Amino acid sequence: MSADTQETAVRTSRVTRIFIYGLLILFAAYYLMPLFVMIVNSLKPLSEITSGNMMALPTVWTLEPWRQAWSTAQIGIEPTGLKPYFLNSLLVVVPAVFISTVIGAMNGYVLTKWRFRGDTLVFGALLFSCFIPFQIVLIPMAVVLGKIGIAGSIPGLVLVHVVYGIGFTTLYYRNYYAVFPTELVHAAQIDGAGFFRIFWRIMLPISGPITVVSVIWQFTNIWNDFLFGASFGGQQQPMTVALNNLVQSSTGVKEYNVHFAGAILAALPTLLVYIVAGRYFVRGLMAGSVKG
């Protein structure tokens, strides 16, 4: 009787797993369908798209839409393609991610291992900044950028994203460092290590998981940002603004294949980041969530 019960349980469990996996595959296919449509139609001549069958594979495969989107598509006045705007995004993302991550790590280190009177209020203010909508800070940020003379420039965009990202990076590192034994910091102080030496030699080497979280979060937010780029980019606009201009500046026949290729080019860096380091994202978030 026990054998029958065990066999039934195993058979039921297998059926349940098949049902769950089938349901997940169905959801995944539904979720990936827009990406499939974009990729397929970016490899077609425009005539195949306008014929009405956007779901079919190309009868004539071509990379010309990708070349046009990258180097010759009409964006604004000049047919520059997305290449210069891609470089603008890189010039914004790399320093903004680096600076905001380092400052966040330093803040988390101070707020957990070098406590001071009012540190809870400081952390609360930084945490509150995470919930401020982008639209609220547009006018104050424009005034500040104008007064310091970097409005409409790459350094201005870097500053905007650093300021807006510090709250998030501080939250990550503060929660991560909170479970790190403070006794080790005290032992290092007894051995003569100072503030920065403890930070660089002890805290940063154990910060790999949360650094991955911070970098992925900041990179994704900054690369995909449109509002700040359109408001403060001036003539040095990032990739997302250029993609919008690519679609809006088309006249006559809409070159959907070029638009699809441009959209994939704009999304490719964040997609690659998640493919390479995405599995560490949740792992890094969980690393500082449980003490012990």
Side-chain angles (χ1 to χ4, degrees):
M1 184 174 180
S2 60
D4 294 338
T5 304
Q6 184 178 2
E7 184 181 354
T8 304
V10 172
R11 184 180 299 117
T12 303
S13 177
R14 186 176 303 167
V15 171
T16 302
R17 287 199 301 270
I18 292 175
F19 172 77
I20 293 175
Y21 290 148
L23 195 62
L24 291 175
I25 292 173
L26 180 63
F27 286 159
Y30 180 78
Y31 183 80
L32 293 174
M33 185 60 67
L35 179 62
F36 170 79
V37 172
M38 292 173 62
I39 294 175
V40 166
N41 287 280
S42 69
L43 299 172
K44 291 180 182 178
L46 184 60
S47 58
E48 289 191 33
I49 299 177
T50 55
S51 64
N53 193 358
M54 297 183 67
M55 300 294 295
L57 293 175
T59 56
V60 177
W61 296 78
T62 176
L63 292 175
E64 182 61 21
W66 290 75
R67 188 191 66 80
Q68 292 183 27
W70 179 252
S71 59
T72 63
Q74 187 76 29
I75 300 177
I77 300 176
E78 300 293 334
T80 59
L82 294 173
K83 180 179 179 179
Y85 303 95
F86 186 92
L87 297 177
N88 287 343
S89 289
L90 285 179
L91 292 176
V92 172
V93 166
V94 174
V97 170
F98 176 78
I99 295 172
S100 61
T101 299
V102 171
I103 294 177
M106 190 75 70
N107 288 343
Y109 169 53
V110 172
L111 291 172
T112 54
K113 306 308 176 189
W114 297 79
R115 305 291 298 273
F116 56 91
R117 180 176 297 179
D119 63 325
T120 304
L121 294 177
V122 172
F123 176 65
L126 289 170
L127 184 62
F128 178 74
S129 68
C130 298
F131 303 97
I132 298 177
F134 283 15
Q135 294 82 355
I136 293 179
V137 302
L138 288 181
I139 295 178
M141 191 68 71
V143 173
V144 171
L145 294 180
K147 287 186 178 295
I148 61 180
I150 56 175
S153 65
I154 295 294
L157 274 178
V158 171
L159 177 61
V160 169
H161 288 295
V162 167
V163 170
Y164 204 86
I166 285 176
F168 292 99
T169 57
T170 300
L171 172 63
Y172 297 148
Y173 280 96
R174 188 264 181 190
N175 291 343
Y176 187 81
Y177 289 155
V179 301
F180 185 80
T182 306
E183 292 77 10
L184 293 179
V185 176
H186 293 163
Q189 289 179 296
I190 295 174
D191 290 338
F195 177 88
F196 288 104
R197 187 172 184 181
I198 295 174
F199 179 68
W200 290 108
R201 295 292 183 89
I202 298 178
M203 304 305 292
L204 279 186
I206 56 97
S207 303
I210 204 63
T211 299
V212 172
V213 172
S214 177
V215 169
I216 291 178
W217 177 267
Q218 282 295 90
F219 184 93
T220 303
N221 282 346
I222 296 172
W223 187 273
N224 292 335
D225 169 69
F226 176 82
L227 183 59
F228 286 157
S231 301
F232 306 125
Q235 299 300 316
Q236 296 178 309
Q237 296 173 337
M239 188 76 162
T240 50
V241 179
L243 181 62
N244 177 73
N245 294 338
L246 170 64
V247 176
Q248 298 297 330
S249 64
S250 297
T251 58
V253 178
K254 293 287 187 179
E255 296 181 312
Y256 295 110
N257 51 354
V258 178
H259 298 170
F260 284 133
I264 297 173
L265 286 172
L268 197 58
T270 53
L271 180 62
L272 292 177
V273 167
Y274 273 103
I275 290 175
V276 173
R279 61 177 176 171
Y280 301 106
F281 186 79
V282 176
R283 187 183 306 174
L285 284 176
M286 295 298 294
S289 62
V290 180
K291 187 170 184 178

